């Protein structure tokens, strides 16, 4: 509620419509369903991850020059670091500055905390190991080769087939995740289109994921107008969708809406930390403002249990009728193909 009062204290007369929209949004729930976190974390592996260990991520940049500048500054301070290049479907290239290689998330977190205590970094998060750019930065000491998978390109729309099982679902289709020559063979993944019959928003989700449109009781309990939840323990991933009505939401200030949503996500049950590390606002298409968010999060299912680190992707659609939030988290030890699935889910979201 601190957001509410800070806006109220400084508002000008012409800001009243925006302030009213913010206070209206605060009345709704945007938080993560804790049960989804618990289910997705059931198969979280301990020790060495399937992709080759854990690292400390210190920063991320859209340009290689900026990443190299940060890298050089760290190396002058005596911190061994390197750059990883990531291709994000529909969003371009991201250069991530990382440190070390560790057998467990706990060891990586201790290393990051040590750098913080020395005043060398302000923040960090634990990530799964990926090979560095050899031509852009030195390899981490003792690094072992790791296999890579080319991120999936934007797939073609699913071919209608039999109706999907989850409530509110549409047709399912075959949609293979393509791979580049030389990459290992990627599994064929069937996607289904999920349609909320009451509101009309849609998105695609792998047919193997479990879930569906939330019930009326769940909507009332969470304080939302509509939504859906899905999870996939084998993929260490879970998905939450929330719809809340807000007339002329596409004309409201995006920063206030996003701040409110992120604040609500952070205070959800079991959430220890959620940070936004990247944002991309697409030019409005018609009357839709589409914002993509890249997130990192730490969850704890119950007190005394280990902390669980997740990566997240989200999209927020501001429409004339309301705001649609679709947020998907997946563990750092998730199978390599999970990220491509998440990217497709987020890209597929359509407003009513």
């Amino acid at each position: 509620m601190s957001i509410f009062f800070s806006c109220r204290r400084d508002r000008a007369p012409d800001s009243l419509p925006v302030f009213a929209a913010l206070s209206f949004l605060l009345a709704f729930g945007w938080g993560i369903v804790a049960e989804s976190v618990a289910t997705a974390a059931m198969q979280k592996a301990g020790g060495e991850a399937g992709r080759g260990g854990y690292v400390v991520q210190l920063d991320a940049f859209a340009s290689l020059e900026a990443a190299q500048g940060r890298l050089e500054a760290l190396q002058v301070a005596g911190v061994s670091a390197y750059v990883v290049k990531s291709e994000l479907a529909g969003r371009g290239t991201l250069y991530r500055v990382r440190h070390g290689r560790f057998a467990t998330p706990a060891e990586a977190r201790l290393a990051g905390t040590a750098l913080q205590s020395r005043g060398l970094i302000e923040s960090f998060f634990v990530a799964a190991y990926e090979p560095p750019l050899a031509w852009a930065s030195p390899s981490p000491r003792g690094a072992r080769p790791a296999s890579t998978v080319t991120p999936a390109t934007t797939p073609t729309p699913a071919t209608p087939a039999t109706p999907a099982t989850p409530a509110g679902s549409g047709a399912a289709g075959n949609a293979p995740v393509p791979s580049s020559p030389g990459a290992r063979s990627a599994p064929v993944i069937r996607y289904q289109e999920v349609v909320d019959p009451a509101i009309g928003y849609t998105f695609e989700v792998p047919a193997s994921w479990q879930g569906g449109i939330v019930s009326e009781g769940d909507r009332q309990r969470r304080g939302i107008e509509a939504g859906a939840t899905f999870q996939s323990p084998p993929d260490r991933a879970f998905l939450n969708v929330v719809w809340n009505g807000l007339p002329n939401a596409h004309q409201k200030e995006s920063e206030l809406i996003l701040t409110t949503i992120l604040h609500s996500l952070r205070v959800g049950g079991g959430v220890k930390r959620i940070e936004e590390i990247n944002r991309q606002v697409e030019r409005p298409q018609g009357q839709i403002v589409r914002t993509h968010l890249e997130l990192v999060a730490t969850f704890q299912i119950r007190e005394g249990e280990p902390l669980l680190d997740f990566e997240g992707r989200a999209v927020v659609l501001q429409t004339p009728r309301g705001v649609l939030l679709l947020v998907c988290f997946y563990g750092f030890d998730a199978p390599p193909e999970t990220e491509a699935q998440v990217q497709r889910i987020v890209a597929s979201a359509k407003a009513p």
Side-chain angles (χ1 to χ4, degrees):
M1 295 299 292
S2 59
I3 303 171
F4 178 97
F5 289 116
S6 63
C7 291
R8 182 174 186 174
R9 201 165 39 238
D10 301 329
R11 75 179 189 272
D14 58 358
S15 69
L16 282 173
V18 174
F19 170 72
L22 178 60
S23 60
F24 181 79
L25 282 170
L26 283 169
F28 286 102
W30 298 93
I32 295 168
V33 177
E35 293 87 344
S36 297
V37 184
T39 305
M42 284 174 58
Q43 297 184 21
K44 182 171 179 63
E48 186 80 352
R51 283 181 282 178
Y54 298 88
V55 302
V56 181
Q57 180 156 313
L58 309 177
D59 241 322
F61 301 91
S63 73
L64 177 59
E65 292 75 14
Q68 287 177 318
R70 176 64 167 148
L71 178 69
E72 292 170 3
L74 288 166
Q75 291 175 336
V76 168
V79 179
S80 175
Y82 56 97
V83 175
V84 169
K85 180 181 179 182
S86 301
E87 299 290 345
L88 305 181
R91 300 174 52 198
T93 305
L94 196 64
Y95 297 93
R96 309 173 194 258
V97 180
R98 294 180 168 180
H99 163 71
R101 186 169 182 185
F102 307 90
T104 67
E107 292 178 10
R109 193 176 293 109
L110 284 175
T113 302
L115 294 177
Q116 274 185 320
S117 65
R118 293 167 57 190
L120 298 176
I121 60 172
E122 292 184 0
S123 62
F124 71 92
F125 69 90
V126 176
Y129 173 78
E130 297 174 67
L133 279 173
W135 51 270
S137 56
S139 297
R141 184 177 303 173
R144 302 184 298 276
S147 60
T148 59
V149 175
T150 303
T153 58
T154 304
T156 56
T159 303
T162 56
T165 300
S169 299
N174 290 325
V177 178
S179 59
S180 63
R184 73 172 179 84
S185 178
V188 176
I189 300 172
R190 293 174 57 86
Y191 287 83
Q192 62 186 14
E193 183 180 57
V194 180
V195 182
D196 187 306
I199 305 299
Y201 63 80
T202 68
F203 60 93
E204 293 181 355
V205 68
S208 61
W209 287 35
Q210 305 163 0
I213 302 298
V214 299
S215 66
E216 181 178 355
D218 285 337
R219 293 199 302 269
Q220 294 178 354
R221 177 173 59 88
R222 295 174 58 189
I224 64 176
E225 289 193 6
T229 62
F230 284 86
Q231 56 246 319
S232 175
D235 292 301
R236 328 290 201 267
F238 66 96
L239 164 69
N240 272 221
V241 180
V242 175
W243 165 268
N244 281 319
L246 177 62
N248 299 316
H250 63 300
Q251 297 176 352
K252 312 300 182 186
E253 187 173 341
S254 297
E255 184 66 33
L256 290 177
I257 291 176
L258 295 172
T259 298
T260 304
I261 290 174
L262 289 170
H263 172 76
S264 297
L265 290 176
R266 291 186 180 109
V267 299
V271 178
K272 292 298 182 181
R273 177 190 61 144
I274 289 183
E275 293 183 14
E276 175 191 350
I277 61 173
N278 197 23
R279 177 186 300 187
Q280 180 180 356
V281 181
E282 295 184 3
R283 291 175 177 268
Q285 299 179 353
Q287 294 183 312
I288 306 296
V289 179
R290 189 182 190 99
T291 302
H292 290 271
L293 301 174
E294 185 174 351
L295 309 166
V296 291
T298 301
F299 302 107
Q300 187 178 41
I301 308 308
R302 284 175 288 273
E303 288 297 328
E305 294 190 357
L307 298 177
L308 306 173
D309 293 310
F310 283 73
E311 295 185 62
R313 301 290 184 272
V315 62
V316 178
L317 304 182
Q318 296 171 230
T319 81
R321 293 175 51 194
V323 179
L324 179 70
L325 165 68
L326 185 151
V327 57
C328 195
F329 287 96
Y330 57 102
F332 286 124
D333 62 342
E337 60 270 14
T338 299
E339 183 172 7
Q341 295 181 51
V342 170
Q343 289 174 353
R344 171 162 175 170
I345 293 169
V346 172
S348 70
K350 293 184 176 63

